[in-house]
Amino acid sequence: MPFTIAIIGRPNVGKSTLFNRLVGQKLALVDDVPGVTRDRREGEAKLFDLNFTIIDTAGLDEGPKGSLTARMQEQTETAIALADALFFVIDARIGLTPADRAFADFARRADKPVLLLANKSEGKHGELGAMESYALGLGDPIQISAEHGEGMGELYDAVSKLVPPTDDEDDERDETDEERANRPIRVAIVGRPNAGKSTLINHLLGEERLLTSPEAGTTRDSIAVEIEWKGRGFRIFDTAGLRRRSRIEEKLEKLSVADALRAVRFAEVVVLMMDAQNRFEEQDLRIADLIEREGRALVIAVNKWDLMDGNPGQISMLRRDADHWLPQVAGAPIVAVSGLMGEGIDRLMQAIVEAYAVWNRRVPTAALNRWFEGAIADNPPPAVSGRRLKLNYITQTKARPPSFVLFCSRADAIPQSYLRYLTNSMRETFELPGTPVRITLREKANPFAHKRKRPN
């Protein structure tokens, strides 16, 4: 189990900025508005030769029992319980506040090593605020600037007394085929706001890991959680709800949407979650099209199925609707679920595993060209401007998603309708339902192009 450090403190002192600095990328959303972070977020931190797990938390704040603020604090308390040590962060430019003093007592009661970090210490005002922090009784403050990377050497000296150095040799060795096969499948859960994404993941985990609320927009960051199902590992990303671009006005929501789109690009399988009572709306179709353009395997989950009337034939209707509205990913698996009641969860996980296998599929070249000859014989390519189009052969260049190169004459003249015919025929023949299929056209070199015509 890696050494774990939780970053705690009141809202807007720079916890997420420090988290991003330590993990080496902008994973956590950062904004001047307090309370951006709501769920706890984990990452693999590296500080020179030290490697450890870092947890970003919501700002410590008080609220009535059962409120979103109170549940955010419960998430922070869980992070503290999981951690081996704490970074208690204050804003050195503002100096100590009553909230800092109250939560310093909270940190002391955790009975774990606490490093006091005076963030935003650059400049004269930061120096004065750092001196004030001695009054908290948490030891000498470490003056840092998470935004500018100042004070990382001093932070290293303090952390190195807690975390043993690690050997980088294991990190640099090549990944074996067995390790690659056992690597967790990266899954992003996306959809419109309030489709029930966080509720579904909480049921998978068996705990209230992610904050949920009837109010749309509760999730802001893309939070990654690890689960295991039937011996297979999954790394699942909960994302912010995706609304139409015209309705996104606030800067914070724009950041949340950008974070969700990054999760889609990082994922291998994307679960598009729809509300059973309002399914296949325009925004659902736009999101599905985005997933196809990014080349990710798609699984459609129709949530809140427990609210439907249960008439026979409903599942068949879902299949027909999916193929009608999403022809570009024909055959994509569609599963009716209830994240709240836990219905259909096993079917959803099985669909993810199967979609991942299809996304990685390679078609033997001999079988591919036998199909190709038959497809052309059944439906020859049309003549364009009185000239016949010649299709020579096809080969698969890569998987993830299945991608092919078709060698032909006059690539710019082949109609898109004929490429769709080939794509759909390939899906049916080689069982590639739902996954994006890429066909790139390449003109075969003319062996006589270099010869000049003889003069008359």
Side-chain angles (χ1 to χ4, degrees):
M1 186 75 180
F3 194 89
T4 302
I5 300 176
I7 308 174
I8 64 171
R10 61 180 178 80
N12 217 32
V13 293
K15 299 185 297 298
S16 294
T17 304
L18 176 61
F19 176 88
N20 287 341
R21 168 72 59 181
L22 292 172
V23 299
Q25 52 185 315
K26 294 183 179 179
L27 292 181
L29 298 185
V30 176
D31 195 69
D32 292 334
V33 177
V36 172
T37 302
R38 288 178 170 175
D39 294 288
R40 68 182 191 269
R41 181 170 200 156
E42 297 183 10
E44 297 307 314
K46 186 172 181 64
L47 186 59
F48 302 108
D49 63 339
L50 300 177
N51 293 286
F52 52 94
T53 298
I54 192 77
I55 306 178
D56 186 24
T57 66
L60 290 165
D61 210 345
E62 295 179 340
K65 187 175 181 180
S67 67
L68 182 60
T69 301
R71 287 188 289 133
M72 287 163 61
Q73 182 160 339
E74 289 172 5
Q75 288 283 324
T76 300
E77 291 171 358
T78 301
I80 291 172
L82 293 172
D84 300 301
L86 308 176
F87 285 165
F88 186 87
V89 185
I90 67 163
D91 187 334
R93 287 186 302 193
I94 294 177
L96 288 189
T97 68
D100 288 323
R101 298 177 189 276
F103 294 127
D105 292 335
F106 182 81
R108 272 193 292 271
R109 288 197 300 271
D111 194 26
K112 294 183 178 182
V114 180
L115 297 182
L116 175 61
L117 309 185
N119 192 28
K120 308 179 186 179
S121 287
E122 65 274 20
K124 210 176 278 185
H125 295 296
E127 183 77 24
L128 292 173
M131 293 304 104
E132 281 185 31
S133 65
Y134 277 100
L136 294 175
L138 293 175
D140 295 341
I142 303 169
Q143 297 183 47
I144 66 168
S145 171
E147 183 175 0
H148 301 293
E150 298 177 9
M152 293 298 110
E154 290 78 3
L155 182 59
Y156 169 81
D157 292 338
V159 175
S160 62
K161 298 174 183 176
L162 305 174
V163 184
T166 55
D167 189 354
D168 288 337
E169 290 183 8
D170 289 339
D171 297 333
E172 294 174 358
R173 66 183 176 82
D174 293 335
E175 186 181 42
T176 66
D177 291 340
E178 184 179 356
E179 288 172 331
R180 194 177 296 112
N182 293 329
R183 190 173 53 194
I185 300 174
R186 297 193 299 271
V187 182
I189 311 289
V190 302
R192 290 183 287 120
N194 223 24
K197 301 180 290 294
S198 298
T199 302
L200 173 71
I201 296 175
N202 282 341
H203 195 93
L204 284 169
L205 291 169
E207 61 171 305
E208 292 295 314
R209 169 64 177 83
L210 303 170
L211 294 178
T212 60
S213 169
E215 177 189 353
T218 302
T219 301
R220 289 173 171 172
D221 283 291
S222 294
I223 304 297
V225 296
E226 303 275 354
I227 71 165
E228 187 172 297
W229 180 80
K230 293 188 176 180
R232 185 66 195 259
F234 297 82
R235 186 170 177 80
I236 299 185
F237 294 82
D238 184 27
T239 64
L242 298 173
R243 296 198 297 168
R244 289 206 304 266
R245 185 178 299 179
S246 59
R247 293 189 177 184
I248 301 174
E249 298 177 354
E250 295 183 4
K251 175 187 173 185
L252 183 55
E253 186 173 359
K254 290 179 181 178
L255 292 172
S256 297
V257 168
D259 203 32
L261 296 180
R262 276 195 297 272
V264 170
R265 296 185 184 105
F266 182 73
E268 296 165 319
V269 180
V270 180
V271 176
L272 171 56
M273 184 163 284
M274 303 181 188
D275 189 319
Q277 297 175 308
N278 300 286
R279 56 186 185 263
F280 295 107
E281 294 197 348
E282 182 182 358
Q283 184 63 1
D284 295 323
L285 306 183
R286 289 177 183 272
I287 296 171
D289 191 56
L290 167 71
I291 296 166
E292 193 277 335
R293 283 187 280 112
E294 290 294 337
R296 300 296 175 252
L298 171 66
V299 174
I300 302 170
V302 181
N303 194 28
K304 307 180 184 178
W305 197 250
D306 54 306
L307 302 179
M308 301 301 289
D309 51 24
N311 290 336
Q314 290 270 20
I315 300 295
S316 299
M317 187 181 298
L318 281 182
R319 178 75 272 161
R320 289 195 299 272
D321 288 347
D323 289 342
H324 171 73
W325 291 109
L326 300 171
Q328 70 273 38
V329 284
I334 184 165
V335 184
V337 301
S338 170
L340 185 63
M341 308 301 293
E343 298 173 2
I345 300 296
D346 280 343
R347 292 194 300 273
L348 176 62
M349 298 306 294
Q350 184 61 40
I352 291 172
V353 172
E354 292 172 358
Y356 178 75
V358 171
W359 190 65
N360 282 276
R361 185 165 297 163
R362 281 193 171 273
V363 180
T365 301
L368 185 63
N369 279 283
R370 281 197 300 271
W371 158 81
F372 185 55
E373 291 170 4
I376 293 175
D378 293 341
N379 183 11
V384 178
S385 301
R387 295 171 57 193
R388 186 172 64 89
L389 297 174
K390 187 174 182 181
L391 307 185
N392 300 101
Y393 63 94
I394 190 170
T395 186
Q396 184 172 2
T397 54
K398 70 181 189 71
R400 304 165 66 89
S403 301
F404 305 85
V405 172
L406 170 57
F407 290 87
C408 59
S409 65
R410 303 170 60 205
D412 57 338
I414 296 180
Q416 287 298 314
S417 58
Y418 195 76
L419 288 179
R420 283 196 296 272
Y421 157 70
L422 291 177
T423 299
N424 291 333
S425 176
M426 189 184 298
R427 283 189 196 281
E428 184 177 348
T429 303
F430 298 112
E431 298 181 352
L432 299 171
T435 196
V437 173
R438 303 283 190 254
I439 298 180
T440 303
L441 300 176
R442 187 175 298 171
E443 293 188 11
K444 196 173 181 182
N446 184 353
F448 304 103
H450 66 285
K451 295 184 178 180
R452 297 183 179 178
K453 291 183 179 180
R454 294 181 179 179
N456 293 331

mmCIF file with all atom_site columns, all heavy atoms in Angstrom, residues 238-256:
data_model
loop_
_atom_site.group_PDB
_atom_site.id
_atom_site.type_symbol
_atom_site.label_atom_id
_atom_site.label_alt_id
_atom_site.label_comp_id
_atom_site.label_asym_id
_atom_site.label_entity_id
_atom_site.label_seq_id
_atom_site.pdbx_PDB_ins_code
_atom_site.Cartn_x
_atom_site.Cartn_y
_atom_site.Cartn_z
_atom_site.occupancy
_atom_site.B_iso_or_equiv
_atom_site.pdbx_formal_charge
_atom_site.auth_seq_id
_atom_site.auth_comp_id
_atom_site.auth_asym_id
_atom_site.auth_atom_id
_atom_site.pdbx_PDB_model_num
ATOM 1   N N   . ASP A 1 238 ? -15.970 9.227  -13.087 1.00 0.00 ? 238 ASP A N   1
ATOM 2   C CA  . ASP A 1 238 ? -17.246 9.940  -13.017 1.00 0.00 ? 238 ASP A CA  1
ATOM 3   C C   . ASP A 1 238 ? -17.006 11.348 -13.561 1.00 0.00 ? 238 ASP A C   1
ATOM 4   O O   . ASP A 1 238 ? -15.992 11.980 -13.253 1.00 0.00 ? 238 ASP A O   1
ATOM 5   C CB  . ASP A 1 238 ? -17.730 10.003 -11.569 1.00 0.00 ? 238 ASP A CB  1
ATOM 6   C CG  . ASP A 1 238 ? -19.099 10.645 -11.443 1.00 0.00 ? 238 ASP A CG  1
ATOM 7   O OD1 . ASP A 1 238 ? -19.873 10.583 -12.416 1.00 0.00 ? 238 ASP A OD1 1
ATOM 8   O OD2 . ASP A 1 238 ? -19.386 11.229 -10.380 1.00 0.00 ? 238 ASP A OD2 1
ATOM 9   N N   . THR A 1 239 ? -17.913 11.847 -14.382 1.00 0.00 ? 239 THR A N   1
ATOM 10  C CA  . THR A 1 239 ? -17.700 13.141 -15.036 1.00 0.00 ? 239 THR A CA  1
ATOM 11  C C   . THR A 1 239 ? -18.873 14.079 -14.788 1.00 0.00 ? 239 THR A C   1
ATOM 12  O O   . THR A 1 239 ? -19.971 13.661 -14.420 1.00 0.00 ? 239 THR A O   1
ATOM 13  C CB  . THR A 1 239 ? -17.524 12.968 -16.557 1.00 0.00 ? 239 THR A CB  1
ATOM 14  O OG1 . THR A 1 239 ? -18.745 12.453 -17.125 1.00 0.00 ? 239 THR A OG1 1
ATOM 15  C CG2 . THR A 1 239 ? -16.380 12.003 -16.873 1.00 0.00 ? 239 THR A CG2 1
ATOM 16  N N   . ALA A 1 240 ? -18.612 15.359 -15.026 1.00 0.00 ? 240 ALA A N   1
ATOM 17  C CA  . ALA A 1 240 ? -19.672 16.364 -14.930 1.00 0.00 ? 240 ALA A CA  1
ATOM 18  C C   . ALA A 1 240 ? -20.663 16.171 -16.075 1.00 0.00 ? 240 ALA A C   1
ATOM 19  O O   . ALA A 1 240 ? -20.299 15.706 -17.162 1.00 0.00 ? 240 ALA A O   1
ATOM 20  C CB  . ALA A 1 240 ? -19.064 17.759 -14.993 1.00 0.00 ? 240 ALA A CB  1
ATOM 21  N N   . GLY A 1 241 ? -21.923 16.525 -15.836 1.00 0.00 ? 241 GLY A N   1
ATOM 22  C CA  . GLY A 1 241 ? -22.940 16.442 -16.876 1.00 0.00 ? 241 GLY A CA  1
ATOM 23  C C   . GLY A 1 241 ? -22.624 17.375 -18.027 1.00 0.00 ? 241 GLY A C   1
ATOM 24  O O   . GLY A 1 241 ? -22.134 18.488 -17.837 1.00 0.00 ? 241 GLY A O   1
ATOM 25  N N   . LEU A 1 242 ? -22.900 16.908 -19.253 1.00 0.00 ? 242 LEU A N   1
ATOM 26  C CA  . LEU A 1 242 ? -22.599 17.684 -20.458 1.00 0.00 ? 242 LEU A CA  1
ATOM 27  C C   . LEU A 1 242 ? -23.889 18.294 -21.001 1.00 0.00 ? 242 LEU A C   1
ATOM 28  O O   . LEU A 1 242 ? -24.773 17.582 -21.475 1.00 0.00 ? 242 LEU A O   1
ATOM 29  C CB  . LEU A 1 242 ? -21.953 16.781 -21.512 1.00 0.00 ? 242 LEU A CB  1
ATOM 30  C CG  . LEU A 1 242 ? -20.612 16.145 -21.105 1.00 0.00 ? 242 LEU A CG  1
ATOM 31  C CD1 . LEU A 1 242 ? -20.169 15.137 -22.155 1.00 0.00 ? 242 LEU A CD1 1
ATOM 32  C CD2 . LEU A 1 242 ? -19.552 17.207 -20.911 1.00 0.00 ? 242 LEU A CD2 1
ATOM 33  N N   . ARG A 1 243 ? -23.963 19.616 -20.921 1.00 0.00 ? 243 ARG A N   1
ATOM 34  C CA  . ARG A 1 243 ? -25.115 20.321 -21.475 1.00 0.00 ? 243 ARG A CA  1
ATOM 35  C C   . ARG A 1 243 ? -24.765 20.880 -22.851 1.00 0.00 ? 243 ARG A C   1
ATOM 36  O O   . ARG A 1 243 ? -23.607 20.893 -23.256 1.00 0.00 ? 243 ARG A O   1
ATOM 37  C CB  . ARG A 1 243 ? -25.537 21.473 -20.556 1.00 0.00 ? 243 ARG A CB  1
ATOM 38  C CG  . ARG A 1 243 ? -26.030 21.033 -19.208 1.00 0.00 ? 243 ARG A CG  1
ATOM 39  C CD  . ARG A 1 243 ? -26.822 22.128 -18.545 1.00 0.00 ? 243 ARG A CD  1
ATOM 40  N NE  . ARG A 1 243 ? -26.026 23.318 -18.272 1.00 0.00 ? 243 ARG A NE  1
ATOM 41  C CZ  . ARG A 1 243 ? -26.543 24.498 -17.908 1.00 0.00 ? 243 ARG A CZ  1
ATOM 42  N NH1 . ARG A 1 243 ? -27.846 24.632 -17.795 1.00 0.00 ? 243 ARG A NH1 1
ATOM 43  N NH2 . ARG A 1 243 ? -25.768 25.521 -17.649 1.00 0.00 ? 243 ARG A NH2 1
ATOM 44  N N   . ARG A 1 244 ? -25.796 21.399 -23.550 1.00 0.00 ? 244 ARG A N   1
ATOM 45  C CA  . ARG A 1 244 ? -25.528 22.055 -24.827 1.00 0.00 ? 244 ARG A CA  1
ATOM 46  C C   . ARG A 1 244 ? -24.624 23.255 -24.614 1.00 0.00 ? 244 ARG A C   1
ATOM 47  O O   . ARG A 1 244 ? -24.741 23.974 -23.618 1.00 0.00 ? 244 ARG A O   1
ATOM 48  C CB  . ARG A 1 244 ? -26.840 22.514 -25.479 1.00 0.00 ? 244 ARG A CB  1
ATOM 49  C CG  . ARG A 1 244 ? -27.690 21.387 -26.001 1.00 0.00 ? 244 ARG A CG  1
ATOM 50  C CD  . ARG A 1 244 ? -28.594 21.860 -27.135 1.00 0.00 ? 244 ARG A CD  1
ATOM 51  N NE  . ARG A 1 244 ? -29.420 22.990 -26.725 1.00 0.00 ? 244 ARG A NE  1
ATOM 52  C CZ  . ARG A 1 244 ? -30.649 22.867 -26.250 1.00 0.00 ? 244 ARG A CZ  1
ATOM 53  N NH1 . ARG A 1 244 ? -31.182 21.671 -26.087 1.00 0.00 ? 244 ARG A NH1 1
ATOM 54  N NH2 . ARG A 1 244 ? -31.355 23.930 -25.914 1.00 0.00 ? 244 ARG A NH2 1
ATOM 55  N N   . ARG A 1 245 ? -23.729 23.491 -25.571 1.00 0.00 ? 245 ARG A N   1
ATOM 56  C CA  . ARG A 1 245 ? -22.751 24.565 -25.429 1.00 0.00 ? 245 ARG A CA  1
ATOM 57  C C   . ARG A 1 245 ? -23.428 25.922 -25.218 1.00 0.00 ? 245 ARG A C   1
ATOM 58  O O   . ARG A 1 245 ? -22.945 26.768 -24.460 1.00 0.00 ? 245 ARG A O   1
ATOM 59  C CB  . ARG A 1 245 ? -21.865 24.626 -26.676 1.00 0.00 ? 245 ARG A CB  1
ATOM 60  C CG  . ARG A 1 245 ? -20.732 25.621 -26.577 1.00 0.00 ? 245 ARG A CG  1
ATOM 61  C CD  . ARG A 1 245 ? -19.870 25.600 -27.808 1.00 0.00 ? 245 ARG A CD  1
ATOM 62  N NE  . ARG A 1 245 ? -19.253 24.294 -28.009 1.00 0.00 ? 245 ARG A NE  1
ATOM 63  C CZ  . ARG A 1 245 ? -18.463 24.028 -29.036 1.00 0.00 ? 245 ARG A CZ  1
ATOM 64  N NH1 . ARG A 1 245 ? -18.225 24.943 -29.959 1.00 0.00 ? 245 ARG A NH1 1
ATOM 65  N NH2 . ARG A 1 245 ? -17.922 22.830 -29.146 1.00 0.00 ? 245 ARG A NH2 1
ATOM 66  N N   . SER A 1 246 ? -24.586 26.133 -25.855 1.00 0.00 ? 246 SER A N   1
ATOM 67  C CA  . SER A 1 246 ? -25.262 27.427 -25.748 1.00 0.00 ? 246 SER A CA  1
ATOM 68  C C   . SER A 1 246 ? -25.763 27.699 -24.335 1.00 0.00 ? 246 SER A C   1
ATOM 69  O O   . SER A 1 246 ? -26.007 28.846 -23.965 1.00 0.00 ? 246 SER A O   1
ATOM 70  C CB  . SER A 1 246 ? -26.441 27.479 -26.722 1.00 0.00 ? 246 SER A CB  1
ATOM 71  O OG  . SER A 1 246 ? -27.369 26.439 -26.436 1.00 0.00 ? 246 SER A OG  1
ATOM 72  N N   . ARG A 1 247 ? -25.920 26.632 -23.523 1.00 0.00 ? 247 ARG A N   1
ATOM 73  C CA  . ARG A 1 247 ? -26.423 26.811 -22.160 1.00 0.00 ? 247 ARG A CA  1
ATOM 74  C C   . ARG A 1 247 ? -25.304 26.944 -21.132 1.00 0.00 ? 247 ARG A C   1
ATOM 75  O O   . ARG A 1 247 ? -25.571 27.183 -19.956 1.00 0.00 ? 247 ARG A O   1
ATOM 76  C CB  . ARG A 1 247 ? -27.311 25.621 -21.780 1.00 0.00 ? 247 ARG A CB  1
ATOM 77  C CG  . ARG A 1 247 ? -28.596 25.554 -22.579 1.00 0.00 ? 247 ARG A CG  1
ATOM 78  C CD  . ARG A 1 247 ? -29.514 24.495 -22.013 1.00 0.00 ? 247 ARG A CD  1
ATOM 79  N NE  . ARG A 1 247 ? -30.787 24.455 -22.706 1.00 0.00 ? 247 ARG A NE  1
ATOM 80  C CZ  . ARG A 1 247 ? -31.801 23.671 -22.361 1.00 0.00 ? 247 ARG A CZ  1
ATOM 81  N NH1 . ARG A 1 247 ? -31.648 22.833 -21.341 1.00 0.00 ? 247 ARG A NH1 1
ATOM 82  N NH2 . ARG A 1 247 ? -32.925 23.691 -23.029 1.00 0.00 ? 247 ARG A NH2 1
ATOM 83  N N   . ILE A 1 248 ? -24.063 26.756 -21.558 1.00 0.00 ? 248 ILE A N   1
ATOM 84  C CA  . ILE A 1 248 ? -22.927 26.832 -20.630 1.00 0.00 ? 248 ILE A CA  1
ATOM 85  C C   . ILE A 1 248 ? -22.434 28.273 -20.583 1.00 0.00 ? 248 ILE A C   1
ATOM 86  O O   . ILE A 1 248 ? -21.931 28.797 -21.578 1.00 0.00 ? 248 ILE A O   1
ATOM 87  C CB  . ILE A 1 248 ? -21.794 25.886 -21.072 1.00 0.00 ? 248 ILE A CB  1
ATOM 88  C CG1 . ILE A 1 248 ? -22.300 24.449 -21.124 1.00 0.00 ? 248 ILE A CG1 1
ATOM 89  C CG2 . ILE A 1 248 ? -20.609 26.004 -20.127 1.00 0.00 ? 248 ILE A CG2 1
ATOM 90  C CD1 . ILE A 1 248 ? -21.297 23.469 -21.693 1.00 0.00 ? 248 ILE A CD1 1
ATOM 91  N N   . GLU A 1 249 ? -22.596 28.916 -19.450 1.00 0.00 ? 249 GLU A N   1
ATOM 92  C CA  . GLU A 1 249 ? -22.214 30.316 -19.321 1.00 0.00 ? 249 GLU A CA  1
ATOM 93  C C   . GLU A 1 249 ? -21.108 30.522 -18.298 1.00 0.00 ? 249 GLU A C   1
ATOM 94  O O   . GLU A 1 249 ? -20.170 31.282 -18.533 1.00 0.00 ? 249 GLU A O   1
ATOM 95  C CB  . GLU A 1 249 ? -23.435 31.164 -18.933 1.00 0.00 ? 249 GLU A CB  1
ATOM 96  C CG  . GLU A 1 249 ? -24.536 31.137 -19.993 1.00 0.00 ? 249 GLU A CG  1
ATOM 97  C CD  . GLU A 1 249 ? -25.759 31.928 -19.554 1.00 0.00 ? 249 GLU A CD  1
ATOM 98  O OE1 . GLU A 1 249 ? -25.778 32.397 -18.391 1.00 0.00 ? 249 GLU A OE1 1
ATOM 99  O OE2 . GLU A 1 249 ? -26.699 32.055 -20.363 1.00 0.00 ? 249 GLU A OE2 1
ATOM 100 N N   . GLU A 1 250 ? -21.183 29.853 -17.158 1.00 0.00 ? 250 GLU A N   1
ATOM 101 C CA  . GLU A 1 250 ? -20.212 30.086 -16.105 1.00 0.00 ? 250 GLU A CA  1
ATOM 102 C C   . GLU A 1 250 ? -18.865 29.451 -16.442 1.00 0.00 ? 250 GLU A C   1
ATOM 103 O O   . GLU A 1 250 ? -18.790 28.376 -17.036 1.00 0.00 ? 250 GLU A O   1
ATOM 104 C CB  . GLU A 1 250 ? -20.723 29.505 -14.777 1.00 0.00 ? 250 GLU A CB  1
ATOM 105 C CG  . GLU A 1 250 ? -21.979 30.189 -14.258 1.00 0.00 ? 250 GLU A CG  1
ATOM 106 C CD  . GLU A 1 250 ? -22.403 29.623 -12.920 1.00 0.00 ? 250 GLU A CD  1
ATOM 107 O OE1 . GLU A 1 250 ? -21.668 28.770 -12.380 1.00 0.00 ? 250 GLU A OE1 1
ATOM 108 O OE2 . GLU A 1 250 ? -23.460 30.024 -12.423 1.00 0.00 ? 250 GLU A OE2 1
ATOM 109 N N   . LYS A 1 251 ? -17.797 30.152 -16.036 1.00 0.00 ? 251 LYS A N   1
ATOM 110 C CA  . LYS A 1 251 ? -16.441 29.652 -16.291 1.00 0.00 ? 251 LYS A CA  1
ATOM 111 C C   . LYS A 1 251 ? -16.229 28.289 -15.651 1.00 0.00 ? 251 LYS A C   1
ATOM 112 O O   . LYS A 1 251 ? -15.627 27.396 -16.246 1.00 0.00 ? 251 LYS A O   1
ATOM 113 C CB  . LYS A 1 251 ? -15.428 30.654 -15.749 1.00 0.00 ? 251 LYS A CB  1
ATOM 114 C CG  . LYS A 1 251 ? -13.982 30.185 -15.846 1.00 0.00 ? 251 LYS A CG  1
ATOM 115 C CD  . LYS A 1 251 ? -13.056 31.142 -15.131 1.00 0.00 ? 251 LYS A CD  1
ATOM 116 C CE  . LYS A 1 251 ? -11.636 30.595 -15.084 1.00 0.00 ? 251 LYS A CE  1
ATOM 117 N NZ  . LYS A 1 251 ? -10.722 31.436 -14.297 1.00 0.00 ? 251 LYS A NZ  1
ATOM 118 N N   . LEU A 1 252 ? -16.760 28.099 -14.445 1.00 0.00 ? 252 LEU A N   1
ATOM 119 C CA  . LEU A 1 252 ? -16.551 26.844 -13.724 1.00 0.00 ? 252 LEU A CA  1
ATOM 120 C C   . LEU A 1 252 ? -17.166 25.673 -14.478 1.00 0.00 ? 252 LEU A C   1
ATOM 121 O O   . LEU A 1 252 ? -16.571 24.594 -14.574 1.00 0.00 ? 252 LEU A O   1
ATOM 122 C CB  . LEU A 1 252 ? -17.137 26.951 -12.321 1.00 0.00 ? 252 LEU A CB  1
ATOM 123 C CG  . LEU A 1 252 ? -16.942 25.733 -11.413 1.00 0.00 ? 252 LEU A CG  1
ATOM 124 C CD1 . LEU A 1 252 ? -15.475 25.364 -11.314 1.00 0.00 ? 252 LEU A CD1 1
ATOM 125 C CD2 . LEU A 1 252 ? -17.510 26.017 -10.029 1.00 0.00 ? 252 LEU A CD2 1
ATOM 126 N N   . GLU A 1 253 ? -18.360 25.870 -15.041 1.00 0.00 ? 253 GLU A N   1
ATOM 127 C CA  . GLU A 1 253 ? -18.984 24.782 -15.788 1.00 0.00 ? 253 GLU A CA  1
ATOM 128 C C   . GLU A 1 253 ? -18.190 24.487 -17.062 1.00 0.00 ? 253 GLU A C   1
ATOM 129 O O   . GLU A 1 253 ? -18.064 23.332 -17.466 1.00 0.00 ? 253 GLU A O   1
ATOM 130 C CB  . GLU A 1 253 ? -20.430 25.120 -16.145 1.00 0.00 ? 253 GLU A CB  1
ATOM 131 C CG  . GLU A 1 253 ? -21.143 23.942 -16.799 1.00 0.00 ? 253 GLU A CG  1
ATOM 132 C CD  . GLU A 1 253 ? -22.625 24.173 -17.020 1.00 0.00 ? 253 GLU A CD  1
ATOM 133 O OE1 . GLU A 1 253 ? -23.129 25.249 -16.655 1.00 0.00 ? 253 GLU A OE1 1
ATOM 134 O OE2 . GLU A 1 253 ? -23.278 23.260 -17.571 1.00 0.00 ? 253 GLU A OE2 1
ATOM 135 N N   . LYS A 1 254 ? -17.625 25.514 -17.681 1.00 0.00 ? 254 LYS A N   1
ATOM 136 C CA  . LYS A 1 254 ? -16.786 25.282 -18.860 1.00 0.00 ? 254 LYS A CA  1
ATOM 137 C C   . LYS A 1 254 ? -15.576 24.423 -18.495 1.00 0.00 ? 254 LYS A C   1
ATOM 138 O O   . LYS A 1 254 ? -15.183 23.529 -19.245 1.00 0.00 ? 254 LYS A O   1
ATOM 139 C CB  . LYS A 1 254 ? -16.324 26.622 -19.444 1.00 0.00 ? 254 LYS A CB  1
ATOM 140 C CG  . LYS A 1 254 ? -17.437 27.427 -20.104 1.00 0.00 ? 254 LYS A CG  1
ATOM 141 C CD  . LYS A 1 254 ? -16.918 28.745 -20.647 1.00 0.00 ? 254 LYS A CD  1
ATOM 142 C CE  . LYS A 1 254 ? -18.046 29.551 -21.284 1.00 0.00 ? 254 LYS A CE  1
ATOM 143 N NZ  . LYS A 1 254 ? -17.560 30.870 -21.772 1.00 0.00 ? 254 LYS A NZ  1
ATOM 144 N N   . LEU A 1 255 ? -14.979 24.702 -17.326 1.00 0.00 ? 255 LEU A N   1
ATOM 145 C CA  . LEU A 1 255 ? -13.844 23.891 -16.868 1.00 0.00 ? 255 LEU A CA  1
ATOM 146 C C   . LEU A 1 255 ? -14.269 22.449 -16.614 1.00 0.00 ? 255 LEU A C   1
ATOM 147 O O   . LEU A 1 255 ? -13.554 21.498 -16.946 1.00 0.00 ? 255 LEU A O   1
ATOM 148 C CB  . LEU A 1 255 ? -13.251 24.493 -15.597 1.00 0.00 ? 255 LEU A CB  1
ATOM 149 C CG  . LEU A 1 255 ? -12.533 25.845 -15.741 1.00 0.00 ? 255 LEU A CG  1
ATOM 150 C CD1 . LEU A 1 255 ? -12.169 26.391 -14.362 1.00 0.00 ? 255 LEU A CD1 1
ATOM 151 C CD2 . LEU A 1 255 ? -11.289 25.717 -16.600 1.00 0.00 ? 255 LEU A CD2 1
ATOM 152 N N   . SER A 1 256 ? -15.462 22.278 -16.017 1.00 0.00 ? 256 SER A N   1
ATOM 153 C CA  . SER A 1 256 ? -15.965 20.932 -15.723 1.00 0.00 ? 256 SER A CA  1
ATOM 154 C C   . SER A 1 256 ? -16.194 20.140 -17.005 1.00 0.00 ? 256 SER A C   1
ATOM 155 O O   . SER A 1 256 ? -15.863 18.959 -17.095 1.00 0.00 ? 256 SER A O   1
ATOM 156 C CB  . SER A 1 256 ? -17.273 21.012 -14.926 1.00 0.00 ? 256 SER A CB  1
ATOM 157 O OG  . SER A 1 256 ? -17.072 21.627 -13.681 1.00 0.00 ? 256 SER A OG  1
#
